[in-house]
Amino acid sequence: MAGAADSEPIPLAKPEIGPREEELVLAVLRSGRLSLGPMGERFERAFAAWLGVEDAVAVSSGTTALHLGVRALGWGAGDEVLTSPFSFVASANCLLYEGARPVFCDVDPETLDLDPAAAADAAGERTAGILPVHIFGYPAAMPALEALAARHGLGLLEDACEALGAVDAEGRRVGARGNLATFAFYANKQLTTGEGGMIVPRHGADAARLRSERNQGRAAEMGWLDHGGLGFNYRLSDLAAALGVAQLERLDAMLADRARVAALYERGLAGVEGLRTPLPARGEEVRSWFVYAVQLPEEVDRDAAIGRLAERAIAAKAYLPCIHLFPHLRELGYREGQFPVAEAASARSLALPFFPSMGESQVARVCEALAASI
Ligand SMILES: *Cc1c(COP(=O)(O)O)cnc(C)c1O
């Protein structure tokens, strides 16, 4: 007889929220300091310590972190920035906010991150920088991209919004190489504050500028209605920061759980003909598991497979669409066929349910259902 567990819906993602999160949020509520208070500073210090960097600046989202990063590098009208078409749209939009042009380059077929050789081919007169994305938590080829940046005198902004906890080819944590790097804390990320983000500055001058621009252009010593330049309201509330502090305390455990679930999937899907599972690690590189996205065999109708999984109450999603094919980027002249590796990955990739508390039987149910659906 089929038990209730066999028909229980399995969502795509699910945050881990417990008594510690409740306790710290409640403490902020009762303190009366709901923003720009001590919890925000505590979150920044704890985050920087965990990552192994000197400082980190909390902001309202990963997107606003990217926007401030673009401004810190001075990218604007007339500048071209080399970036990946296989990403979440924010990594290109942040350039458009400042009038810079995203110049897409194809991705590496194995890692799905920006291919350094393609980036080198695209570098030209107007190139001002590189914006690599550590997509699906797999570390981008930073040593090669840094060498390219050094050769051409380019700025670097790392989109690490999906990669908190990943380790790169030189054994360093993603976001801790001394480049500007951004993180995001939306509810499906490795660490969540509901909405939120963080940017790692290169030095003290960056940090001061980022803190001023997130807060309406106010420098640290300025009064409430004093403004030293153009700014934004990109602040993170202390309520959100409280969630962040609690989540950081158990980040190692949550990352280990994600790796555990990924390993269950890898075993569970090993026998499925033609299916490609994601690369967990290579050399010193280690993925921080953000989503579990497989590449379906070419002959499989993905929408039909999603429909068959839905019939069994299992969520799955086509993931991700290529950025260059969205209407506002087509307006810049981008078309199908320009980035065959990214487009092929985009056409075949399917994200399966993936969250730290996923149990063995849930993973088994997804694996069986997927095998039966393709
Ligand atoms: C989540 C994400 C962002 C943006 O983060 P938000 O907090 O949703 O604004 C940017 N880039 C990538 C690759 C992401 O996955």
Side-chain angles (χ1 to χ4, degrees):
M1 200 184 88
D6 292 331
S7 54
E8 191 97 357
I10 307 181
L12 214 47
K14 195 166 93 180
E16 295 293 302
I17 301 294
R20 181 63 172 156
E21 281 80 1
E22 292 177 7
E23 180 195 334
L24 291 184
V25 170
L26 198 58
V28 171
L29 278 175
R30 288 177 174 161
S31 76
R33 284 285 294 276
L34 303 190
S35 197
L36 290 180
M39 198 61 92
E41 288 172 23
R42 186 169 155 191
F43 181 37
E44 288 181 343
R45 281 197 306 273
F47 185 90
W50 188 90
L51 195 62
V53 295
E54 232 165 77
D55 198 3
V57 178
V59 290
S60 55
S61 71
T63 305
T64 58
L66 284 165
H67 185 197
L68 294 186
V70 168
R71 289 177 57 84
L73 287 159
W75 293 339
D79 291 332
E80 296 185 346
V81 177
L82 310 176
T83 192
S84 170
F86 191 71
S87 173
F88 180 63
V89 71
S91 60
N93 282 350
C94 65
L95 298 167
L96 301 174
Y97 298 157
E98 292 296 318
R101 183 186 172 91
V103 170
F104 296 111
C105 313
D106 214 344
V107 298
D108 177 304
E110 214 175 329
T111 68
L112 305 181
D113 286 324
L114 186 61
D115 177 353
D121 285 345
E125 288 267 290
R126 299 188 155 203
T127 309
I130 313 176
L131 198 165
V133 182
H134 306 275
I135 201 69
F136 297 167
Y138 201 88
M142 290 316 299
L145 293 170
E146 283 172 1
L148 175 65
R151 269 203 308 282
H152 294 265
L154 309 176
L156 262 170
L157 174 60
E158 294 183 47
D159 181 341
C161 289
E162 299 188 355
L164 181 58
V167 176
D168 69 25
E170 294 177 341
R172 288 152 86 174
R173 263 201 177 137
V174 162
R177 295 182 67 88
N179 304 314
L180 280 158
T182 63
F183 293 90
F185 309 133
Y186 183 67
N188 66 340
K189 309 279 176 171
Q190 287 92 331
L191 178 155
T192 186
T193 61
E195 295 280 1
M198 193 73 81
I199 178 159
V200 177
R202 291 165 298 181
H203 40 55
D206 265 353
R209 176 179 179 151
L210 295 166
R211 289 200 165 89
S212 165
E213 289 198 346
R214 78 171 168 190
N215 189 27
Q216 311 284 12
R218 263 173 228 134
E221 70 285 358
M222 283 180 182
W224 188 241
L225 291 175
D226 217 358
H227 308 279
L230 180 66
F232 307 86
N233 176 0
Y234 285 173
R235 296 183 300 263
L236 186 72
S237 82
D238 267 37
L239 291 164
L243 282 173
V245 170
Q247 292 263 292
L248 265 175
E249 289 174 2
R250 51 150 126 185
L251 180 58
D252 292 322
M254 291 193 294
L255 292 175
D257 262 325
R258 284 178 177 270
R260 172 188 62 81
V261 175
L264 289 174
Y265 265 127
E266 189 164 299
R267 247 178 289 143
L269 295 172
V272 184
E273 181 86 22
L275 189 78
R276 222 174 100 192
T277 55
L279 177 70
R282 186 181 62 184
E284 291 286 300
E285 295 169 345
V286 183
R287 185 191 295 273
S288 170
W289 290 94
F290 168 60
V291 288
Y292 197 86
V294 296
Q295 302 271 312
L296 296 178
E298 246 159 85
E299 65 282 4
V300 170
D301 178 335
R302 181 170 57 182
D303 289 337
I306 292 171
R308 283 192 288 274
L309 289 168
E311 283 164 17
R312 299 174 184 227
I314 294 168
K317 200 171 176 152
Y319 206 87
L320 295 144
C322 278
I323 304 181
H324 67 286
L325 298 176
F326 288 124
H328 65 299
L329 287 141
R330 284 177 184 267
E331 273 174 29
L332 299 181
Y334 288 109
R335 292 289 175 267
E336 278 96 355
Q338 287 182 296
F339 310 107
V341 181
E343 289 170 32
S346 182
R348 294 170 50 206
S349 80
L350 183 72
L352 302 176
F354 189 69
F355 44 90
S357 63
M358 238 182 133
E360 226 174 305
S361 62
Q362 284 177 308
V363 176
R365 224 181 97 198
V366 178
C367 294
E368 277 164 35
L370 183 66
S373 301
I374 64 178

